[in-house]
Every structure is written in structure tokens, then in C-alpha cells.
Amino acid sequence: MPKKLYIKTHGCQMNEYDSEKMSKLLVDKKNFEITSSEQDADLIILNTCSIREKAQERVFHQIGRWRKIKEKKPNLKIAIGGCVASQEGEKIIKRAPEVDIVFGPQSLHKLPELYDQQEKYKKSQTDISFPKLEKFSHFTAPEHGTPSAFVSIVEGCNKYCSFCVVPKTRGHEVSRTCEDILEEVSALADNGTSEIHFLGQNVNNFKGTFKGHPSSLAELIKLTAKIENIKRIRFTTSHPHEFKDDLVDVYGEVPELVSHVHLPVQSGSDRILKLMRRRYTAEKYLSLIEKIKSVRTDMSFSSDFIVGFPGETDEDFQNTMDLVHQVKFDESYSFIYSARPNTPASEMSDDVSHELKKERLDILQATLRRYAFGYSRKLVGKKIECLVMGRSKKDPGQLQSRSICDRVVNFRHDDIDLVGQLVNIQINEALPNSLRGELGN
Ligand code: SAH
Ligand code: F3S
């Protein structure tokens, strides 16, 4: 009987990508079967996130819940991966001895080996090393492609924004080669994937090589667009500092590149941006937005914001709001600043009360929601191109698709053969979290 694997993923798209790869590895190498029930599992993996405080506490609460299953089923193994694992290492096992394996984002390909070692020695195993890009040589393409697939192109980060733990948990920035990436993209395209979503903390700083020469994200996008069956290309996350002119130009050259970009600004105050070590000013950010729009007029932008950075004044916050009103962002993410261990910002004095931070976040989020909904409403009555992803989970009589700006668009149809195709949808209704329409021609 094959053993059963259950994986739970917290955090970012990079973690989703990593989780997919580890499931495939354990299915191929250790003959595991995937289960959606924790109770049935022989191995439970938690792929963790440490970007904000609560995410970390969630890990220990989750382990606590699984401890109860393990009490009844002593052979159950629990493995903790991702950024909390990378940050805490052995300390996880000290605090939660029922954990059998601890591994990091760069050592996940060692899971089958760690699993065997744990079985053999009946002793918990930890490997949170950073062997550069080694994991990619262990990955294989999925047998069944999904309409849209993530492909990691840059691992780690060297930016060291003063608030962020990622450079410590995911290691130094390192780019894969174009050949390696294009091989993965071609395999996905052969298996039915139409949309490629490039991932990295700082994808626009991609510094891989092509035929031995230094390459760029702009070149990689052009090469990807030439692969048969690839209809759409996206990338996240971009750092505004590295959004070079050649990348802006690609919007005028490659129609497969979507008219939407996620460009985290974090704050609209130059004083705070400097303290955050973001390397741009609000004005520079705004001029970049204008530059991209001058090449593609229908561009939409989403962003990340941190509210309540240490010492943020009313004026700083107002600068952020002013920037929001200027850009009129499409959907965005916003968070209250959370002090992270061993980061420079965690040493900065902070006299802003939590209540005030919460108040500012509420104001920002209400405004962001208003713009996002306004953006959705503007699409009503228009015909937009969408990629069909599958049946709607809530209503199997409808198909679910994604617009260029990554909005969920549902439409009534039962032809499952449309999955993976780009179709024109006439938008009839804007709902808070999705759009509804009908198939056009
Ligand atoms: N590489 C991306 C960000 C990755 S982290 C970039 O360059 O922007 C994703 C988002 O989490 C960040 O954009 C930021 O808005 C938020 N974030 C990161 N550290 C945080 C912290 N200490 N407190 C609150 N939010 C944080
Ligand atoms: Fe974090 Fe800044 Fe890198 S937000 S991931 S250190 S670009």
C-alpha cells in the first residue's frame, strides 16, 4: 500500500511552487500518494512562511493540532519546511519534539533522503543548508499541465530591505540559466500549460545566462514567447529599482506579456522609503508607472504596502495615500509592519501605537478596495480576453477563467474542452471578488 502524503502551504507563490515540486518528488521517488485528509496521512508537510509575526505562531498552533493525530497514530511523520524552518532550524524540534524533519526552501530536494534517514535512525533530521540552485536538477515536469504554471527563475534576495527576513531565510539571490528555465517551460507547454508565471523575490533583477552570455528578464520573456502553445506570460515580484528600460520596452514588443504588473511600493513617503532601504523615491516610482503606461496604455498595477513602519507620521501616511490616489491601483496587498528577528528595522524606535496603525491600515484598505472595485466596474460591458482555468468550485455549471489583470471571471458553460484556452468574455456583472460574464466571440 502506498504511503499517503498531505501538504499544507502557507505564504507566497514561491512556497506554492516549492510545495508542488516536493509532492512530485515524493510521489516519484518514494511512491507516495497525495491525500487531502490529514487524518489519513503517513507524512504531513507544512511549508511555512515567516514574513509576518502571526504566520510564525500559526506554525506551532498547527503542529499542536497534528500532535493529537500523532498520539493516535505514532507512525505519522511531521516535516516542517519553508522560511520558519530556515530561520529556526533545530529550535523547532526543541519546542515541538514530535516534528521528525526540518528542511529549508533550498534543501527541499533532500526530503526523500531525510525521510529515509529518519526511518533508519528513528531520529529527527534537520537540513536547512543553501546549496545554490541544486534543487532544480531534482525536479521533473508534471505529467498533467495546469492552464497556468509557476516557474521559479530567481531564488533568494540580496536587497536587504530593512524590514524583511527573506534574504536570511531564502539565501543569496541566484538566477537559473535561460536554458534550464526554457526546458521547464517547454515541458509545461507540451503538457498543456498556456500561461507561464515567472517567480522570484526580485524577478526583474534576473541575471541568468543564455548560451553562456549574460541575459536579462527582457530576453527571457522574448525567448519564452517563442515557445509553441505559450499564450501568456506574467512575472512577480518586481522591485521598482531594477525595472530597466529594456523590460519596459518588452511591453511594446511581446503581446504574450500581460498588461498587468505587481510592483510593490511599500510606502509613498521618501523618508520611510529611505529607512526601508528601498532605493527609490515616490517620484521615481510614479515616473516608472508613467513610462510603462506610455508603452502600453491599458496597463494596470497592483502593489504591496506596509503601514506603521517604525516612526511613521501622519504626514508619511498621507504621502502613501496621495500615491494611491495618483496610481489608482488595481488589487493590492497591505499589511501592518511586523518587527522581524535580526532585521535593522526591528532595532528602530517606534512610538506609533498599534491602534493608530490599525486605523491607518483600515483607511488604506478601504481606499484600495474602492479603486479595485472601480476597476472591476469599468470592465462591465466590455469584452475581455480570459484564460479558462477549470470548473467553478462553487457552481460546476460555470467555468472559471482569469482576466489579464488576474481577476476571477466566471461564465456559464459546460464545455470542459475550453480549459487552457483564451476566450473572449463579455462582462455583465462586477462582484466584490470576481466578475461574471458570458462567452463572446
Ligand atoms: N520581494 C518583494 C517582497 C516579498 S515579501 C518586494 O520586493 O517587494 C511580500 C510582501 O510582504 C512585501 O512586499 C511587504 O509588503 C510585506 N512584508 C515583508 N516584510 C514585512 C514585515 N516585516 N512586516 C510587514 N509586511 C512585510
Ligand atoms: Fe524582502 Fe526587499 Fe527582498 S522586501 S524579498 S528584501 S526586495
Side-chain angles (χ1 to χ4, degrees):
M1 268 264 288
K3 288 206 158 69
K4 295 210 167 76
L5 167 68
Y6 175 86
I7 299 195
K8 194 176 183 92
T9 308
H10 291 165
C12 65
Q13 295 161 327
M14 192 66 104
N15 267 12
E16 282 178 41
Y17 174 83
D18 283 346
S19 288
E20 234 173 70
K21 297 293 178 192
M22 38 180 133
S23 332
K24 179 92 174 41
L25 207 61
L26 288 163
V27 167
D28 290 353
K29 297 232 164 109
K30 305 293 323 160
N31 208 19
F32 269 97
E33 221 171 55
I34 307 293
T35 172
S36 54
S37 152
E38 307 163 319
Q39 310 289 336
D40 281 354
D42 299 290
L43 170 63
I44 293 185
I45 300 179
L46 180 61
N47 196 2
T48 63
C49 167
S50 62
I51 206 83
R52 283 170 292 278
E53 227 150 5
K54 286 206 181 101
Q56 203 162 344
E57 273 318 297
R58 270 170 78 197
V59 174
F60 289 101
H61 286 144
Q62 184 61 75
I63 298 173
R65 284 193 289 273
W66 287 334
R67 181 184 302 133
K68 297 204 177 81
I69 307 181
K70 198 163 173 160
E71 278 163 8
K72 289 187 213 127
K73 197 175 169 183
N75 286 336
L76 168 69
K77 291 190 206 314
I78 300 176
I80 308 295
C83 287
V84 175
S86 173
Q87 199 175 287
E88 304 291 317
E90 292 275 350
K91 280 193 261 169
I92 294 191
I93 294 165
K94 285 218 177 83
R95 184 166 158 187
E98 57 279 8
V99 170
D100 302 283
I101 300 169
V102 174
F103 63 99
Q106 308 304 344
S107 59
L108 58 92
H109 55 292
K110 297 188 186 165
L111 258 176
E113 193 184 317
L114 291 166
Y115 180 85
D116 287 346
Q117 301 267 329
Q118 199 284 333
E119 283 240 294
K120 189 168 167 198
Y121 300 111
K122 305 280 173 247
K123 196 176 167 301
S124 55
Q125 303 289 317
T126 303
D127 187 335
I128 50 166
S129 60
F130 293 92
K132 275 188 184 177
L133 299 180
E134 198 179 277
K135 65 180 181 185
F136 291 99
S137 60
H138 295 258
F139 296 165
T140 50
E143 277 90 30
H144 307 288
T146 43
S148 177
F150 293 131
V151 174
S152 165
I153 62 168
V154 185
E155 288 279 321
C157 185
N158 284 353
K159 283 280 172 292
Y160 290 94
C161 300
S162 64
F163 53 83
C164 185
V165 282
V166 170
K168 295 205 175 71
T169 57
R170 286 195 164 262
H172 269 285
E173 188 174 283
V174 42
S175 301
R176 296 170 71 188
T177 65
C178 286
E179 284 86 347
D180 191 21
I181 296 164
L182 295 171
E183 196 183 315
E184 185 171 339
V185 172
S186 299
L188 287 163
D190 288 346
N191 286 342
T193 294
S194 321
E195 178 181 271
I196 296 295
H197 191 148
F198 287 136
L199 292 182
Q201 295 305 331
N202 208 345
V203 269
N204 47 335
N205 197 34
F206 173 75
K207 286 198 169 76
T209 54
F210 181 57
K211 296 185 173 166
H213 301 292
S215 188
S216 63
L217 181 59
E219 185 180 30
L220 179 64
I221 290 170
K222 289 184 210 165
L223 292 166
T224 303
K226 286 192 192 139
I227 294 177
E228 210 177 327
N229 297 335
I230 296 303
K231 299 177 184 132
R232 268 186 182 178
I233 304 168
R234 310 181 171 278
F235 55 86
T236 19
T237 301
S238 309
H239 193 294
H241 178 62
E242 256 115 17
F243 217 103
K244 299 278 156 54
D245 286 350
D246 65 339
L247 186 55
V248 174
D249 292 341
V250 180
Y251 283 95
E253 298 164 25
V254 180
E256 287 85 355
L257 183 60
V258 298
S259 300
H260 175 257
V261 69
H262 184 65
L263 201 56
V265 65
Q266 315 297 356
S267 166
S269 153
D270 291 346
R271 193 182 75 84
I272 296 291
L273 286 170
K274 199 160 185 198
L275 290 172
M276 286 179 165
R277 297 194 190 155
R278 289 291 290 183
R279 308 166 196 221
Y280 52 84
T281 59
E283 198 186 317
K284 263 198 156 161
Y285 181 87
L286 291 168
S287 71
L288 173 60
I289 296 262
E290 286 312 312
K291 217 194 273 182
I292 303 172
K293 279 209 265 187
S294 72
V295 182
R296 275 257 184 111
T297 47
D298 64 342
M299 281 299 290
S300 74
F301 299 89
S302 58
S303 192
D304 290 347
F305 295 88
I306 295 181
V307 166
F309 189 79
E312 184 190 64
T313 63
D314 284 341
E315 193 187 340
D316 294 320
F317 177 64
Q318 192 50 50
N319 289 335
T320 299
M321 293 303 293
D322 291 346
L323 185 131
V324 169
H325 292 306
Q326 268 174 283
V327 182
K328 301 183 176 56
F329 289 96
D330 189 358
E331 285 175 334
S332 290
Y333 303 91
S334 42
F335 318 93
I336 290 187
Y337 165 75
S338 153
R340 304 284 65 218
N342 307 317
T343 55
S346 67
E347 317 266 299
M348 294 177 192
S349 68
D350 190 6
D351 53 4
V352 189
S353 70
H354 189 74
E355 286 69 42
L356 184 55
K357 292 183 183 191
K358 182 75 186 61
E359 215 174 282
R360 288 179 185 158
L361 184 72
D362 290 344
I363 295 170
L364 173 66
Q365 290 187 333
T367 309
L368 290 171
R369 264 198 309 273
R370 195 153 49 78
Y371 280 121
F373 195 51
Y375 192 85
S376 290
R377 270 203 315 250
K378 267 198 258 162
L379 294 173
V380 175
K382 291 206 173 122
K383 206 179 270 178
I384 58 172
E385 197 181 57
C386 296
L387 176 67
V388 185
M389 309 296 281
R391 277 194 207 285
S392 151
K393 284 192 191 89
K394 283 194 196 138
D395 177 357
Q398 295 193 54
L399 292 180
Q400 188 167 91
S401 65
R402 291 255 172 195
S403 70
I404 277 172
C405 52
D406 224 12
R407 286 254 188 320
V408 170
V409 181
N410 292 312
F411 62 103
R412 197 153 284 287
H413 215 280
D414 52 15
D415 183 2
I416 204 73
D417 288 346
L418 287 182
V419 173
Q421 291 193 34
L422 286 178
V423 295
N424 287 322
I425 306 286
Q426 175 77 33
I427 305 299
N428 297 331
E429 199 183 349
L431 303 167
N433 298 314
S434 65
L435 297 166
R436 211 174 271 162
E438 61 194 85
L439 192 63
N441 42 38

